[in-house]
């Protein structure tokens, strides 16, 4: 049997049961704060409809539904196993009436045009092979003036902090990840973080996709970036 493509839903199927624990350990718990910042950046009005792309085990979808008691959230992901974990968490939080989960890929959304006030994607765009297509799909399903907010890991580049960040990404993450999960998956994590475009380059992609008012905010010394833009 050939191994699934790195970053694909099939690869995440294999680590779904350990994903939440790995996240907490590898980010030192910072992932929670980053997701909260993402939710705040949306500035949602009452009754908003929100799409969480690459929802995985559902943390962002759940955080939005908790922060906005009348919001309706759709979480989408190609990994059936990650969605199973998300389903259990959504049910346990009593949010099943407002959070629905859909199997699918960001490049081909099974959703109508202009149907969401906001779209989120946390640590997902790195895994999408055809990013321009995924961004075009996000713009298509956003309502005019709707907001797109993306969180993504990056490699801190400059100075002593950059060196520490790189040591974390290339030394600690693959080793700890291998210990707790599959070595291949966490080597991929380190490599894909290093390969992800710099913040100014990714901002340019968002503008090319047709988004406006794009801004980027470094989180925790550039270990992660929050990108926010609007459909005109
Ligand atoms: C690192 S996890 C992020 C999960 C979640 N957003 C979070 O904050 O923890 C990346 C997710 O991207 C999903 N993914 C992979 N390829 C994708 C695609 N083409 N479209 C949408 N999601 C994809 C994976 O299945 C996985 O659940």
């Amino acid at each position: 049997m050939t191994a699934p493509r790195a970053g694909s839903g099939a690869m995440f199927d294999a680590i779904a049961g350990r994903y939440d624990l790995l996240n907490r350990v590898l980010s030192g718990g910072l992932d929670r704060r980053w997701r909260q910042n993402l939710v705040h950046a949306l500035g949602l009005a009452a009754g908003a409809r929100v799409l969480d792309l690459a929802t995985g085990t559902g943390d962002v979808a759940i955080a939005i539904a908790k922060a906005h008691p009348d919001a309706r959230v759709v979480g989408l992901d190609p990994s059936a196993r990650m969605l199973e974990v998300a389903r259990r968490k959504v049910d346990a939080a009593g949010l099943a009436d407002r959070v629905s989960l859909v199997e699918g890929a960001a490049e081909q959304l099974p959703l109508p045009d202009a149907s969401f006030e906001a779209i989120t994607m946390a640590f997902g765009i790195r895994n999408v092979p055809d990013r321009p297509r995924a961004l075009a799909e996000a713009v298509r399903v956003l309502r005019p003036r709707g907001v797109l907010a993306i969180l993504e890991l990056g490699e801190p580049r400059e100075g002593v902090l950059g060196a520490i960040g790189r040591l974390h990404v290339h030394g600690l993450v693959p080793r700890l990840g291998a210990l707790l999960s599959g070595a291949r998956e966490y080597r991929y994590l380190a490599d894909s973080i290093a390969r992800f475009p710099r913040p100014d380059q990714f901002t340019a992609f968002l503008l090319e996709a047709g988004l406006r008012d794009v801004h980027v905010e470094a989180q925790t010394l550039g270990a992660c970036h929050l990108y926010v833009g609007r459909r005109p």
Side-chain angles (χ1 to χ4, degrees):
M1 206 176 79
T2 52
R5 181 183 60 73
S8 64
M11 187 197 93
F12 279 92
D13 275 342
I15 58 167
R18 288 154 289 171
Y19 177 79
D20 283 352
L21 171 68
L22 286 160
N23 244 347
R24 287 307 96 79
V25 173
L26 295 179
S27 76
L30 287 169
D31 60 308
R32 281 200 172 129
R33 189 190 307 165
W34 297 337
R35 287 194 195 83
Q36 285 301 335
N37 292 345
L38 168 78
V39 175
H40 284 138
L42 299 175
L44 293 180
R49 290 159 303 169
V50 186
L51 171 64
D52 182 39
L53 295 171
T55 197
T57 59
D59 279 358
V60 172
I62 291 170
I64 293 167
K66 281 187 175 165
H68 299 278
D70 50 7
R72 306 191 78 80
V73 189
V74 175
L76 177 134
D77 200 284
S79 164
R81 287 277 158 78
M82 294 287 271
L83 290 178
E84 272 169 33
V85 179
R87 162 65 50 217
R88 284 199 291 275
K89 288 161 65 178
V90 166
D91 289 348
L95 294 170
D97 56 333
R98 291 192 296 118
V99 177
S100 46
L101 298 166
V102 175
E103 203 172 314
E107 298 97 318
Q108 198 171 8
L109 297 176
L111 298 162
D113 293 358
S115 46
F116 293 94
E117 278 77 29
I119 299 182
T120 52
M121 193 174 203
F123 317 119
I125 193 71
R126 211 166 9 96
N127 301 309
V128 172
D130 191 344
R131 288 181 199 145
R133 190 155 167 213
L135 293 176
E137 276 289 85
V139 171
R140 177 182 70 76
V141 304
L142 261 185
R143 299 192 61 180
R145 302 300 299 155
V147 60
L148 172 68
I150 294 179
L151 259 185
E152 194 49 272
L153 298 169
E155 202 170 74
R157 274 156 217 266
E158 254 111 72
V160 177
L161 291 173
I164 295 170
R166 282 192 300 277
L167 202 68
H168 176 75
V169 168
H170 292 286
L172 191 71
V173 166
R175 284 188 181 80
L176 210 58
L179 207 69
L180 297 170
S181 184
R184 184 174 169 273
E185 286 82 354
Y186 284 87
R187 167 53 46 204
Y188 160 74
L189 177 64
D191 290 346
S192 66
I193 292 172
R195 277 200 310 267
F196 193 70
R198 289 195 320 265
D200 56 327
Q201 293 170 323
F202 191 64
T203 300
F205 287 142
L206 293 174
L207 290 167
E208 269 168 43
L211 292 154
R212 293 296 170 260
D213 307 332
V214 175
H215 61 271
V216 49
E217 218 178 87
Q219 312 283 304
T220 318
L221 306 166
C224 177
H225 286 88
L226 171 60
Y227 301 88
V228 181
R230 274 187 192 281
R231 181 180 166 169

